[in-house]
Amino acid sequence: MAVLVALAACLVGPSPAAQAAVPASPAVTYTNPIAEKRADPHIFKHTDGYYYFTATVPEYDRIVLRRATTIQGLSTAQEVTIWTKHTSGVMGAHIWAPEIHFIDGKWYVYFAAGATNDIWAIRMYVLEGTGANPLTATWTEKGQIKTQWESFSLDATTFVVNGVRYLSWAQRDPSVNNNTDIYLAKMANPWTITGTPVMLSRPTYSWETVGYKVNEGPAVIQRGGKVFMSYSASATDSNYCLGLLSASASADLLNAANWTKSATPVFTSNAATGQYGPGHNSFTVSEDGKSDILVYHDRSYKDISGDPLNDPNRRTRVQKLYWKADGTPDFGIPVADGVTPQRFSSYNFPDRFMRHWEYRARIEANVSPLADSQFRVVTGLAGSGTVSLESTNFPGYYLRHKNFEVWVEKNDGTATFASDASFYKRAGLSDSAGVSYESYNYAGRYIRHFEYLLQVQALSTATDRADATFYAQ
């Protein structure tokens, strides 16, 4: 009999509820900004349990480090100066874009610097640190990273694919009328490249050439047999943005033809969220190791007086990086300051997420744009231990019920709206690892999906409870 039952189950297929599984990448939230007046941020999670954070300081005169056991903890961690610019000669000006890496048992910091007699003679340099804790390590200068030309070069980053270590950076080709291209080469050791560098990307699209013709700040993340390299483009004002290169990890990465370049930027200024000029990013991972985290800088205003390089107010920010069904990264939009948003997948339709479409709330797969399916869980508008779910791309708009249908609408300041947009956060009715949201002003009614539309309804069956259970991602 047991065999017959099992066979019948296989023929019928699993019920929707049986398909549910706790997401591999559960929600993580942070509060932005992480650090004021810190540009070109790089956060490295080490095997010792610490995150190490370095960035450009607005004085352009030193290299600083912080460490903490959490990303949020970096915001209040002690900052230590590990190196200061030279008083004369090379490495004496424009100390820019440090990155910290741990390679073969030693610490390395890559950075760019000008010279006291020519502050624009920007070149790439390396520090080597000996000691378990880089904040107290002994640092020595390994000198300049020599490339094919003695020309403006900066933003060195290093990564390993299939056991091969590479260096990527930005440099000006003296024969071309632009600012910088993105280059790639193998490394002989942590401060020396080997072989002939290959040019991966040149600023040619309109969004790469606003103010200046710039490709710079490469950063690499790998997933699913693919190598993704983000980079920054255009002037360092509100036009600054991210582009994306991608290649198969099994391809010859030193063949530029094996890389594909995005035709449009993947991360740009957003007036609705008040974020301008997002760029010069790096990638790290969440504390539980289950989420990829985008690290970047931007400003909280669009208009800058004078040269953007003299404006000190770029600040370090983080937010979760999501992945599309096709395996490519989805950067979304630079989210508003404060707590970062979450996504909510259906318990019984795991590929479908809460989202708004023409302001009506529903569940749907392959949501585009991503921000339609991101909500900030904030203190409830009605108070009393409630929460409200604020739209990411329409700040000030909240999920609220109206005639028991759920919509995304702007807070009109009324008590009725506050009540309709407030919910009690409960353990998931079908899985306590999930979450369910009970209406504040209609006890016993929960947000649930019905024919893929979100409603606020009373629940009586197991299917009802499954429809009212979501996982935060």
Side-chain angles (χ1 to χ4, degrees), residues 100-428:
I100 184 166
H101 296 266
F102 190 76
I103 304 170
D104 297 332
K106 292 186 178 182
W107 294 98
Y108 292 91
V109 169
Y110 298 83
F111 67 100
T116 55
N117 62 331
D118 185 354
I119 62 174
W120 296 108
I122 306 294
R123 302 292 187 269
M124 301 178 293
Y125 300 91
V126 185
L127 304 178
E128 182 182 78
T130 302
N133 179 358
L135 277 70
T136 57
T138 300
W139 290 94
T140 57
E141 297 172 1
K142 303 302 290 186
Q144 181 185 341
I145 299 177
K146 294 289 188 175
T147 67
Q148 67 272 48
W149 306 298
E150 276 294 333
S151 65
F152 188 91
S153 54
L154 70 169
D155 297 350
T157 191
T158 184
F159 59 96
V160 175
V161 178
N162 293 327
V164 178
R165 179 166 293 281
Y166 296 89
L167 188 83
S168 185
W169 69 97
Q171 187 163 12
R172 182 177 182 272
D173 180 341
S175 68
V176 177
N177 182 29
N178 67 3
N179 294 94
T180 51
D181 308 318
I182 300 292
Y183 290 87
L184 182 69
K186 290 182 180 179
M187 301 195 80
N189 58 44
W191 57 93
T192 310
I193 64 170
T194 184
T196 303
V198 59
M199 192 267 287
L200 297 185
S201 180
R202 175 161 285 161
T204 55
Y205 290 119
S206 60
W207 52 271
E208 298 178 295
T209 57
V210 183
Y212 296 99
K213 298 175 181 178
V214 170
N215 281 180
E216 65 182 16
V220 168
I221 188 169
Q222 301 179 55
R223 190 174 194 262
K226 299 278 284 184
V227 180
F228 300 98
M229 181 184 289
S230 59
Y231 64 90
S232 301
S234 288
T236 57
D237 53 19
S238 63
N239 295 295
Y240 210 46
C241 61
L242 293 183
L244 188 68
L245 303 170
S246 59
S248 169
S250 61
D252 177 6
L253 299 183
L254 292 175
N255 182 347
N258 290 330
W259 291 85
T260 301
K261 181 175 180 175
S262 60
T264 57
V266 295
F267 201 55
T268 62
S269 293
N270 191 283
T273 60
Q275 309 300 324
Y276 297 94
H280 202 115
N281 78 289
S282 58
F283 300 100
T284 189
V285 294
S286 59
E287 289 78 1
D288 62 7
K290 296 179 179 179
S291 294
D292 294 304
I293 305 299
L294 174 66
V295 184
Y296 63 98
H297 74 235
D298 74 6
R299 292 182 178 87
S300 61
Y301 49 88
K302 181 178 181 180
D303 297 322
I304 299 170
S305 298
D307 189 334
L309 283 176
N310 296 327
D311 182 293
N313 294 317
R314 292 178 291 178
R315 67 264 176 82
T316 295
R317 311 180 83 250
V318 298
Q319 62 191 69
K320 182 169 177 172
L321 181 74
Y322 290 91
W323 295 89
K324 299 177 184 178
D326 65 2
T328 59
D330 196 333
F331 290 77
I333 63 174
V335 300
D337 283 354
V339 67
T340 57
Q342 305 172 46
R343 303 180 78 201
F344 296 93
S345 61
S346 166
Y347 167 80
N348 47 2
F349 293 91
D351 66 334
R352 290 179 174 261
F353 289 82
M354 283 189 190
R355 64 96 44 102
H356 58 83
W357 174 254
E358 296 183 345
Y359 302 106
R360 183 70 167 92
R362 56 187 296 129
I363 60 169
E364 195 169 276
N366 301 317
V367 178
S368 181
L370 173 74
D372 281 0
S373 63
Q374 291 179 289
F375 299 90
R376 299 210 303 173
V377 181
V378 298
T379 301
L381 299 179
S384 303
T386 64
V387 297
S388 293
L389 280 73
E390 184 182 13
S391 167
T392 292
N393 48 354
F394 292 95
Y397 285 65
Y398 296 82
L399 287 180
R400 63 88 55 98
H401 62 81
K402 184 171 60 176
N403 299 322
F404 302 117
E405 297 176 344
V406 181
W407 294 75
V408 169
E409 291 190 350
K410 187 175 183 179
N411 180 10
D412 62 9
T414 65
T416 296
F417 185 97
S419 296
D420 291 350
S422 295
F423 302 89
Y424 291 107
K425 182 181 178 181
R426 309 295 192 197

